[in-house]
Every structure is written in structure tokens, then in C-alpha cells.
Amino acid sequence: MSSVWTGEGPRRRRASDRVRITMVIGILLLLEFYLRPSLVEGRGMPDFLLLALLLLCLRLSPGAAAVVGLCVGIVMDVLSPARFGANMLAHVLLGWGAAWGRAVFFADNLAVNAGLFFVGTWVRNLLVLLLSGATLGTLGAEAFFWSPLQGLTTAIVGVVVVVLFRDWLALRIDR
Amino acid sequence: MRDVGGRDAASGDLLLFTGCIAVALLAYGLPRPWAAELVGAIRRTALRPVVQLQSRAAQDRTSRFRLSTVQAAHDTLALRILEDSALRTENTQLRALVGLRQRGTMPWVPAEVLHRPTPTDGRALMLDVGTEQGIARFDPVMTPDGLLGSIWSASPIASTVLTWMHPDWRASAVTGDGTVMGILAPAVVGTSGQPLLELRGVALRDSLPNGTLVFTSGLGGVYPRMVPIGRVVGVEQDPLGYERLYRVAPFVNPGLVSHVMVLTAPRDSVYRLLPEDSLP
């Protein structure tokens, strides 16, 4: 009778997966809200909250990713409210787009993931600025300097997180 | 064979996405006072631990990396006070001579700025003080270098500053000699997109040389008088030819500021009665 599959193995594995993912997200949140602000501040710093959103989007369905994006957007809007709702819209679109892109055409590749982190940060920043009523000059400086810089730092941190916690995040990376 | 399960999942995703977009659009269209109330409510409930964690992080950074700077500023101020003590004594004697009482002091609350790495960080900053410390809407926010902005919303543990970089920010300004007045508003000029201020409403007969200092005028009842704002760096012609437009480089960079002072007293304005203790 011991050879009969009861379904407990995969269920337990799913539960432990959830715990591990929660731990990774928790580490990223701690980095975002305590470690980075206690060490260094600046415009080009990596956005760990956005990174957590994108990592979750790689595992979720587009609809669920949109809901997570909305939650992240609310947090961002409350903590930096230049224009309330701008972050919500931007993160819902980003979450949906990342999860949909992953389901349709993203490859399981480290470089593609890095590109997703970079482009995601860049697009998010421009969307937030556009929705906040930025002028063309501000948009130009953001599009060609600050956003690429932040995208780069976020992508580097993202790659490190993916490499370190690949198994915990249950991400398949083709080499 | 029809993929009924897949289609249901796709339509469920679409429904969730549409719902999220609707909620986000609703939030985006909220009137500002309602949005401020909502932000305050979330800060004092669900995100209270996050705000406190960020505040703690800012304090740790200051104690870790900025202690020597703070100590140097403290020593400089102590020396300045020693140098000015004779002047203050003389001022006290003169006020007594003409029958004026002591000048009222302006209470203020020190605050740490909780920066976020977002593209709109310079426009609206979060402070780690709120209504529990006596902060209220429209309180002026300054640094030792000059004016930063005013409080846009305040919750018990945190508040938001609308800085001079925000498109909605305005202040009545005057030159140091008090002869030229105008309204300051943010402007972006040059190929670098460097954020500057624009002094509008200056009469064509008035001309300001580069380097002229610009202060708050005290009109409007929000900012006290003679708080330094910036320095004139150029002039532009009004397209309609009705006024002169001056470019002003502000003294305070909102992206770099870490400590501020929030003035909590009634503002000094020509539209308000003078403090009772300054009357003979």
C-alpha cells in the first residue's frame, strides 16, 4: 500500500515552495525598507520592491500578477505620493505585461530575466512620470539617464537573486 | 477539442486585470483632499510598521555616516551664536528703548526625510513626523539653506512635503531689497533639463541682475517672510510681452536633503495680525 500515491508529496512540496518564496520576498522587503535606506540613498539605487513584483510575476498568472501589481502600487503611492494612483496604474500594467509576456514568449534564460528587470524598471519609471504630469525635459532626463541607471542596478541585483535563490523561487534557467 | 479550462482561466485573468485597472483609475481620479485622507489612513494603519522601519533606517544612516557633518554644523552654529551675542544684546536694549517687547520665536519640529528611489521622489517627500508632533497641512518646510516646500498631507506618524519641484507648487517672492515682487513656480530649462524656478509677474520696468537673492515675501499666509529661496541666474522674455520672467536657481535640492525643519507657528503675513507681543 505504501506505493500508492496519496498526493501528499507534491502538496507538501508546494507548501514548502510557498514558504521559500515568502522568505525571498521578505528578504527583498527588508532590503527595500531598512537595509538600503540605512546605508545609501540615491536615484539610481535598485528598487527591491519592483524586483519582488517581477519575480512573483514570473510565477503567477497575468490576472494574479495584476492584483499583486495593484498592491505594490498602493504601497508606492502611499510612500511617495506625487500623484495618487499613478503608481497603481503603472504597476498593474507592468505586472500584467510581465506575467503575460512570460506565459507567451519569454525564454527561461538568465539574460532574458535580466532584460525583464531592466525594461520593467525603465517602463515603470516612465509610466509613473507620464501619469504624474512630467514635462518633456524631465522625461528626457529620466528616460536617458536615471531610469536606465536604476534599471541596470535593479537588473544586476535581480540576476544575483535569481542565481542565489533559483531553487527557492522554482525558476527554470536554461544555460 | 475545445480548451474550455484554458479559456476560463484567460477570461478570469482578463476580469482581474480589468478590475485592477478600474480600481487604479478610480484612485487616480480621486480629488486631492480625498487622496490625502486615504494616504494618511493607510500610513497610520497598514503601513505604520513600514514607515517606522524607514524612519529607523534614516536615523541609523545619520548616526552611521553623517555624525561628523552634524557635529561640524553644530560647532559652526555655536560659534555664530557667540559672535552674534553682542548684536542680540544691543537689539534687546534698543527694543526696550522704544518700548517693544521681545520678538516672538518661531517654533519648529525637526524631521528626517524618508527618500524613495522613484522618479517622483524630488517632487513629494515623506517626513517621519506627523500630527502627533504638531504638524499640520501647509506648514512651511525649510532646511538651513532655504525653503524646501510645504506640508501637503499629514497623518499621525508621517507627512508629505510638496517641494518646489512639484508642478503645483507656488510661492510669493521678493528680492532682498524688497523692491521687486513676483510669483515663483517650477520650470524646466536647458538641454540638461535641470529643474529651476521661474519668477513670474515681474513688471517690465524692473530688471534684476544675475545673482540677486530671492526670498519669500510672506504674502498668502503660508510661508514666513524672508526665507531664502534661490538666486537669479537668467532672464527670459515673456512670449506675450507683458512681463519679465527670471530663472531662479533654488538653494535646496529636494533629492539630496536629509534633515528638515517644519515651522509650526502661525505664519508672518501682511494679511494676518502682528503677534501681540510685538506691539508696544
Coordinates of all heavy atoms in Angstrom, one line a residue, chain A residues 81-82, chain B residues 32 123-125 148-152 160-166 168-169 223:
Chain A
P81 N 3.8 59.9 -2.7 CA 2.6 60.2 -3.4 C 2.7 61.5 -4.2 O 2.1 62.5 -3.9 CB 1.6 60.4 -2.3 CG 2.4 60.9 -1.1 CD 3.8 60.4 -1.3
A82 N 3.5 61.5 -5.3 CA 3.5 62.7 -6.2 C 2.1 62.8 -6.9 O 1.6 64.0 -7.0 CB 4.6 62.5 -7.2
Chain B
R32 N -7.8 65.6 -4.7 CA -6.6 65.6 -3.8 C -6.9 65.5 -2.3 O -6.2 64.7 -1.7 CB -5.8 66.9 -4.1 CG -5.2 67.0 -5.4 CD -3.8 67.3 -5.2 NE -3.1 66.8 -6.4 CZ -1.8 67.2 -6.7 NH1 -1.2 68.0 -5.9 NH2 -1.2 66.8 -7.8
R123 N 9.7 65.5 -6.0 CA 8.5 66.4 -6.0 C 7.7 66.3 -4.7 O 7.2 67.3 -4.2 CB 7.6 65.9 -7.1 CG 8.1 66.1 -8.5 CD 7.1 65.5 -9.4 NE 7.4 65.7 -10.8 CZ 6.5 65.6 -11.7 NH1 5.3 65.3 -11.4 NH2 6.8 65.9 -13.0
A124 N 7.6 65.1 -4.2 CA 6.9 64.9 -2.9 C 7.7 64.0 -2.0 O 8.0 62.9 -2.4 CB 5.5 64.3 -3.2
L125 N 8.1 64.5 -0.8 CA 8.9 63.8 0.1 C 8.1 63.4 1.3 O 7.3 64.1 1.7 CB 10.1 64.6 0.5 CG 11.1 65.1 -0.6 CD1 12.1 66.1 0.0 CD2 11.8 63.9 -1.2
L148 N 12.2 74.6 1.3 CA 12.0 73.3 0.5 C 10.6 73.2 0.0 O 10.4 72.8 -1.2 CB 12.3 72.1 1.5 CG 12.1 70.8 0.9 CD1 13.1 70.5 -0.2 CD2 12.1 69.7 1.9
G149 N 9.6 73.6 0.8 CA 8.2 73.4 0.3 C 7.2 73.6 1.5 O 7.5 74.2 2.5
S150 N 6.1 72.9 1.3 CA 5.1 73.0 2.4 C 4.5 71.6 2.6 O 4.5 70.8 1.7 CB 4.0 74.0 2.2 OG 3.3 73.7 1.0
I151 N 3.9 71.4 3.8 CA 3.2 70.1 4.0 C 2.0 70.0 3.2 O 1.1 70.8 3.2 CB 2.9 70.0 5.5 CG1 4.1 70.0 6.4 CG2 2.1 68.7 5.8 CD1 5.0 68.8 6.3
W152 N 1.9 68.8 2.5 CA 0.7 68.6 1.6 C -0.4 67.8 2.4 O -1.5 68.0 2.3 CB 1.1 67.9 0.4 CG 0.0 67.4 -0.5 CD1 -0.9 68.3 -1.1 CD2 -0.4 66.1 -0.9 NE1 -1.8 67.5 -1.8 CE2 -1.5 66.2 -1.7 CE3 0.1 64.9 -0.6 CZ2 -2.1 65.1 -2.2 CZ3 -0.5 63.8 -1.1 CH2 -1.6 63.9 -1.9
T160 N 3.7 64.4 4.2 CA 4.2 64.6 2.8 C 4.5 66.0 2.5 O 3.6 66.9 2.8 CB 3.2 64.0 1.8 OG1 2.9 62.7 2.2 CG2 3.8 64.0 0.4
V161 N 5.6 66.3 2.0 CA 6.0 67.7 1.6 C 5.9 67.8 0.1 O 6.4 67.0 -0.6 CB 7.5 67.9 2.0 CG1 7.8 69.4 1.7 CG2 7.8 67.6 3.4
L162 N 5.2 68.9 -0.2 CA 5.1 69.3 -1.7 C 6.3 70.2 -1.9 O 6.3 71.3 -1.3 CB 3.8 70.0 -1.9 CG 3.3 70.1 -3.4 CD1 2.8 68.7 -3.8 CD2 2.3 71.1 -3.5
T163 N 7.3 69.7 -2.6 CA 8.5 70.5 -2.7 C 8.4 71.5 -3.9 O 7.4 71.5 -4.7 CB 9.8 69.6 -3.0 OG1 9.7 69.1 -4.3 CG2 9.9 68.5 -2.0
W164 N 9.4 72.4 -4.0 CA 9.3 73.4 -5.1 C 9.4 72.8 -6.5 O 9.1 73.4 -7.5 CB 10.4 74.5 -4.9 CG 11.8 73.9 -4.9 CD1 12.6 73.6 -3.9 CD2 12.6 73.6 -6.1 NE1 13.8 73.2 -4.3 CE2 13.9 73.1 -5.7 CE3 12.4 73.7 -7.5 CZ2 14.9 72.7 -6.6 CZ3 13.4 73.2 -8.4 CH2 14.6 72.8 -7.9
M165 N 9.8 71.5 -6.6 CA 9.9 70.8 -7.9 C 8.5 70.4 -8.4 O 8.3 70.0 -9.5 CB 10.8 69.6 -7.8 CG 12.3 70.0 -7.8 SD 13.3 68.6 -7.6 CE 13.3 68.0 -9.3
H166 N 7.5 70.3 -7.5 CA 6.2 69.8 -7.9 C 5.5 70.9 -8.8 O 5.6 72.1 -8.5 CB 5.3 69.6 -6.6 CG 4.1 68.7 -6.9 ND1 3.0 69.2 -7.5 CD2 3.9 67.4 -6.7 CE1 2.1 68.3 -7.6 NE2 2.6 67.1 -7.2
D168 N 2.6 71.8 -9.0 CA 1.5 72.6 -8.4 C 2.1 73.6 -7.4 O 1.3 74.4 -6.8 CB 0.5 71.7 -7.7 CG -0.2 70.9 -8.6 OD1 -0.2 71.2 -9.9 OD2 -0.9 69.9 -8.2
W169 N 3.4 73.6 -7.2 CA 4.0 74.5 -6.1 C 4.1 75.9 -6.6 O 4.4 76.2 -7.7 CB 5.4 74.0 -5.7 CG 6.0 74.7 -4.6 CD1 5.8 74.4 -3.3 CD2 6.9 75.8 -4.7 NE1 6.6 75.3 -2.5 CE2 7.2 76.2 -3.4 CE3 7.4 76.6 -5.7 CZ2 8.1 77.2 -3.0 CZ3 8.3 77.6 -5.4 CH2 8.6 77.9 -4.1
Y223 N 4.1 80.9 3.9 CA 5.5 81.0 4.2 C 5.8 82.2 5.0 O 5.2 83.3 4.7 CB 6.3 80.9 2.9 CG 6.1 79.7 2.1 CD1 5.4 79.8 0.9 CD2 6.5 78.5 2.5 CE1 5.2 78.7 0.1 CE2 6.3 77.3 1.8 CZ 5.6 77.4 0.6 OH 5.3 76.3 -0.1

